[in-house]
Amino acid sequence: TCAGLGSRQVLDAALLVPDPTLSLDKGAIPAWRSGSRSLNSFYRRLLRGVSKHYDFSLEVPFAELSEEHRKIVLEGSGETEIEFTRWQKGTARKTHKPFEGVIPNLERRYVETDSEYVRQRLRRYMSRQTCPTCSGRRLKPESNACTVGDCSIVDFLAMSISEAIRFFDALELSSYEKQVADEVVDEIRQRLGFLSDVGLNYLTLDRQSGTLSGGEAQRLRLATQIGSGLMGILYVLDEPTIGLHVRDNARLIAMLRGLRDRGNTVVVVEHDEMMIRDADHIIDLGPGAGAAGGHVVFSGAIDELMASPDSLTGQFLRRESEVHVPALRKPAGDAVLTIEGASVNNLKDIDVRIPLGLLVCVTGVSGSGKSSLVDDILRKALFRKFHASKEQPGPHRSITGTEHLDKIVVIDQSAIGRTPRSNPATYTGAFGLIRKLFSETPTSKVRGYGPGRYSFNVKGGRCESCKGDGLIRLEMHFLPDVYVTCERCRGLRYNRETLEVLYGGKNIAEVLAMTIDEALAFFERIPAIARRLRTLVEVGLGYLQLGQSATTLSGGEAQRVKLSAELSKVATGRTLYLLDEPTTGLHFADTQRLLQVLESLRDAGNSVIVIEHNLDVIKSADHIIDLGPEGGEGGGHVVAVGTPEEISRCGRSWTGQALKEVF
């Protein structure tokens, strides 16, 4: 039924009737709204026949119909025949047949149609749900009938890595079974041990790889390398501590030392203080970012770095510069968002109160249930409410307090655009204003150039050889594509006539080549443009080029571009911002600046919820929700809530113990 996926796309009643306050007569079912909406339209005649037979009105809001009537409309009348009016050659004829129902009708059309357009349209009303045949177990009953130690393969794969280790520790085999399986069992034990050692003991064995975070996927690959036993290898790791709680860092560092001691070289790009302090040799680049960086500021051991006056990293390690604990924390108001009965993944039917108008930090060891609570339940439920999302939130009883919000914004580290044409100027809206400014110059008016002349996406002003990309993509078939500078425009993106138009002595290509710091000074007298550029500078991106391709930005840079776009908007004071580990890829100094941005969003009356392991962010929060106490099955409970000072006094909380050292 599900082809081994455990779930399938099915028509969702909530998506079929997105606004239950509408009546059937006014189009409560958008999927049946296409075509004629006259009284004689096909679907209208069907509904009129059903309403007459079961004695309900088409003009009553769908939500006010009885549950039985709503079920008949959506699922059909079964074997019961209903009288319908059928028009044939302008003559009304009566016919009797069962009513198919909205869901069976659309399912049939989805299967029978050859039109991809129709299928795409119907997918808007579908969501992924557990397969009814296998109940998400993915295999046939015959496959599940085979057991080892009274455990089927599906039951075993549903275990976390730590549970699987305990299962094999307790597994008793007969002498014959040992002859058959001893080597296999030893190999499995060894590989499970590697996964546990890199801090992944909370993951279930059947976890889909696409749902792993970047840090989890990297540590999974690291576990395979540790098991290989190779020597003389150069390992390069980019931020392996992503997603790791402070408690688990020491174990990861011990694993990397084990690789080194075997005769390998381990190079780590990292901002984590514990990792930096434990390194044998440190190379510090800078001193700034972008054009202000690119120099080796320091190279040597940790003791020498601590004494280096030139290193910004050294200043933070010496505590000359640091993120200070707020003198006063913003108190909670009356507005509260409450999640009741959260039980997705490893959450243990918990109730969570989130005070609004504050900077709230959700903490806990890896696998404690943070993303399950914030992403699988809260984000999906609010996206469904505010943005008509198709995603189904995880199991929970209710979410109350949403009347205090008017919008939800997720600020993650995904790219701000997929093509070289996307850049910080286009994303923040500054580019539209700059194009309008160029179109108002005397030269543009004489030549009849409008704002579209200066767009990468419109024919006329752009270079047609590269379609405004500045680069030509060469397809390498079995190798990654190669980009080379366009020979015709030499990477300037525009044709010669467009580049002849100047504003303030600069053409459009020269403006886009400016850093954001330079562009802010250049457009200082244009308030609308300056306001958008100033927010980019405030989030620490003044070193980027205004027209820098989005594909060249790091995840942290893309996230801060999104933050600046939000800062430049007029605050409603009722927006909820969700961020998952925003300090990934950020230096101590960048984290300090990020916190200032988050606090400014909060001070405008908005609510900010951050999932984070970084202690600088945690100690700066107004309110903490700590989940755990462990990962996987050992997690999913609310361990402690309150201010960072209150959490630090909780002996059961691993986050509290780390905060106690900080304070």
Side-chain angles (χ1 to χ4, degrees):
T1 303
C2 64
L5 295 174
S7 62
R8 60 177 190 156
Q9 289 277 88
V10 297
L11 288 155
D12 189 331
L15 297 173
L16 286 168
V17 190
D19 186 359
T21 62
L22 291 176
S23 67
L24 290 169
D25 198 47
K26 296 295 183 185
I29 303 173
W32 273 14
R33 232 190 285 171
S34 60
S36 170
R37 294 190 61 180
S38 67
L39 286 174
N40 289 330
S41 69
F42 176 71
Y43 295 127
R44 184 71 60 83
R45 291 199 302 274
L46 287 181
L47 291 173
R48 287 184 69 180
V50 173
S51 67
K52 185 177 178 181
H53 183 91
Y54 288 100
D55 192 26
F56 66 86
S57 172
L58 294 180
E59 297 176 359
V60 172
F62 189 81
E64 295 179 18
L65 295 176
S66 70
E67 187 175 343
E68 180 192 1
H69 291 154
R70 291 199 301 267
K71 186 175 181 181
I72 289 166
V73 170
L74 292 174
E75 298 178 16
S77 63
E79 299 296 321
T80 305
E81 292 197 344
I82 295 169
E83 182 182 279
F84 297 106
T85 301
R86 183 163 56 94
W87 286 86
Q88 203 168 30
K89 296 181 179 179
T91 305
R93 299 177 184 274
K94 302 294 182 184
T95 183
H96 293 79
K97 63 178 182 179
F99 173 61
E100 187 178 28
V102 176
I103 291 176
N105 170 267
L106 296 179
E107 282 178 341
R108 177 176 54 78
R109 287 167 56 192
Y110 186 82
V111 171
E112 293 177 356
T113 185
D114 293 325
S115 169
E116 185 55 34
Y117 170 78
V118 173
R119 283 175 176 266
Q120 196 68 37
R121 182 172 170 271
L122 293 177
R123 283 192 198 110
R124 291 186 299 188
Y125 308 108
M126 292 179 164
S127 64
R128 187 161 288 281
Q129 295 180 11
T130 303
C131 172
T133 304
C134 68
S135 301
R137 294 170 72 83
R138 304 168 71 165
L139 294 177
K140 290 181 179 180
E142 296 89 332
S143 304
N144 283 325
C146 300
T147 60
V148 173
D150 296 327
C151 181
S152 72
I153 190 166
V154 170
D155 292 332
F156 178 71
L157 290 175
M159 294 180 184
S160 67
I161 289 164
S162 56
E163 288 174 322
I165 291 171
R166 289 196 295 272
F167 171 81
F168 276 107
D169 287 343
L171 183 64
E172 294 182 2
L173 300 175
S174 67
S175 57
Y176 169 72
E177 288 171 336
K178 281 184 179 179
Q179 286 181 336
V180 174
D182 227 9
E183 287 186 22
V184 176
V185 170
D186 285 344
E187 190 69 27
I188 294 172
R189 275 197 183 117
Q190 198 174 14
R191 294 184 188 212
L192 291 172
F194 296 146
L195 291 167
S196 180
D197 288 341
V198 293
L200 297 178
N201 55 308
Y202 58 90
L203 292 180
T204 56
L205 290 163
D206 61 359
R207 174 80 171 263
Q208 292 182 5
S209 58
T211 66
L212 297 177
S213 69
E216 287 169 338
Q218 186 172 213
R219 294 199 298 279
L220 185 61
R221 290 193 291 271
L222 179 62
T224 65
Q225 290 301 318
I226 292 165
S228 69
L230 294 172
M231 295 183 293
I233 304 294
L234 171 65
Y235 292 105
V236 180
L237 295 92
D238 191 0
E239 303 232 34
T241 60
I242 293 171
L244 267 190
H245 192 272
V246 178
R247 183 199 68 169
D248 301 317
N249 280 359
R251 189 161 52 175
L252 175 64
I253 292 169
M255 299 288 291
L256 298 180
R257 285 188 173 278
L259 280 176
R260 176 205 63 185
D261 294 342
R262 200 183 293 154
N264 301 299
T265 303
V266 183
V267 178
V268 183
V269 179
E270 191 54 88
H271 295 100
D272 180 73
E273 182 173 342
M274 189 184 295
M275 185 77 76
I276 295 171
R277 289 183 182 277
D278 274 41
D280 300 315
H281 189 91
I282 299 162
I283 300 168
D284 192 37
L285 300 180
H295 301 282
V296 176
V297 176
F298 171 83
S299 179
I302 181 67
D303 294 339
E304 298 166 343
L305 175 65
M306 295 287 284
S308 171
D310 302 322
S311 169
L312 189 59
T313 305
Q315 291 176 28
F316 276 88
L317 293 176
R318 293 192 299 271
R319 302 290 183 261
E320 287 177 10
S321 298
E322 63 176 321
V323 176
H324 295 287
V325 177
L328 291 172
R329 300 193 189 277
K330 188 175 179 181
D334 297 329
V336 175
L337 197 63
T338 304
I339 305 170
E340 294 185 349
S343 54
V344 67
N345 298 331
N346 65 331
L347 294 179
K348 307 296 192 297
D349 194 25
I350 58 175
D351 298 339
V352 179
R353 286 168 51 85
I354 303 171
L356 298 176
L358 303 182
L359 173 55
V360 177
C361 206
V362 181
T363 63
V365 299
S366 303
S368 58
K370 303 182 296 296
S371 294
S372 296
L373 177 70
V374 176
D375 188 65
D376 290 348
I377 294 179
L378 183 62
R379 179 191 67 79
K380 289 181 180 178
L382 294 183
F383 265 44
R384 206 171 171 95
K385 176 179 175 62
F386 292 112
H387 307 303
S389 168
K390 294 195 299 181
E391 290 186 290
Q392 186 77 31
H396 66 287
R397 283 194 300 277
S398 65
I399 295 179
T400 57
T402 56
E403 68 274 9
H404 301 297
L405 304 171
D406 63 6
K407 186 172 62 171
I408 175 173
V409 176
V410 174
I411 301 177
D412 57 17
Q413 296 203 356
S414 61
I416 61 171
R418 296 179 181 176
T419 70
R421 296 179 210 171
S422 301
N423 55 54
T426 57
Y427 191 86
T428 57
F431 193 43
L433 298 170
I434 291 169
R435 290 191 290 113
K436 188 171 183 294
L437 196 62
F438 267 86
S439 71
E440 292 172 350
T441 60
T443 308
S444 286
K445 287 182 176 180
V446 167
R447 297 185 179 186
Y449 293 168
R453 179 81 190 189
Y454 304 95
S455 170
F456 307 137
N457 300 312
V458 180
K459 288 183 178 180
R462 70 181 184 184
C463 169
E464 288 305 319
S465 291
C466 61
K467 301 291 190 291
D469 288 346
L471 302 167
I472 302 290
R473 186 180 72 172
L474 302 179
E475 291 189 20
M476 302 298 286
H477 301 294
F478 299 109
L479 295 171
D481 293 343
V482 173
Y483 287 88
V484 296
T485 303
C486 173
E487 292 182 1
R488 188 168 182 179
C489 68
R490 301 187 305 282
L492 296 178
R493 303 177 174 188
Y494 294 96
N495 57 33
R496 182 174 53 81
E497 292 80 5
T498 306
L499 294 175
E500 288 172 352
V501 180
L502 304 180
Y503 172 83
K506 303 279 187 182
N507 63 35
I508 187 74
E510 289 170 331
V511 167
L512 290 173
M514 292 179 180
T515 65
I516 293 167
D517 283 330
E518 293 168 343
L520 177 58
F522 186 75
F523 291 111
E524 198 168 13
R525 289 175 295 176
I526 315 294
I529 299 175
R531 179 165 54 86
R532 287 168 169 80
L533 298 180
R534 193 171 289 111
T535 58
L536 285 166
V537 172
E538 286 171 1
V539 297
L541 296 178
Y543 62 89
L544 291 180
Q545 283 187 327
L546 193 59
Q548 186 165 333
S549 170
T551 56
T552 67
L553 300 181
S554 70
E557 287 169 338
Q559 187 173 48
R560 281 182 285 167
V561 170
K562 294 174 187 177
L563 276 169
S564 72
E566 290 299 323
L567 281 172
S568 66
K569 295 175 183 175
V570 177
T572 63
R574 301 182 63 197
T575 302
L576 174 64
Y577 294 96
L578 296 182
L579 298 93
D580 191 351
E581 298 208 50
T583 59
T584 300
L586 297 190
H587 186 269
F588 306 110
D590 297 321
T591 300
Q592 193 174 36
R593 188 165 264 179
L594 173 71
L595 276 167
Q596 293 170 357
V597 175
L598 298 181
E599 287 164 0
S600 67
L601 287 172
R602 175 205 62 192
D603 293 342
N606 301 301
S607 306
V608 182
I609 299 177
V610 181
I611 299 174
E612 192 52 86
H613 293 294
N614 186 293
L615 289 175
D616 284 336
V617 175
I618 296 171
K619 75 182 184 185
S620 302
D622 301 309
H623 185 84
I624 292 175
I625 299 166
D626 190 49
L627 301 182
E630 299 295 333
E633 275 307 303
H637 299 280
V638 178
V639 177
V641 295
T643 63
E645 287 79 8
E646 290 168 338
I647 301 296
S648 70
R649 294 192 286 271
C650 177
R652 288 182 63 231
S653 167
W654 289 105
T655 305
Q657 292 179 35
L659 282 173
K660 192 173 183 179
E661 290 186 25
V662 170
F663 290 140

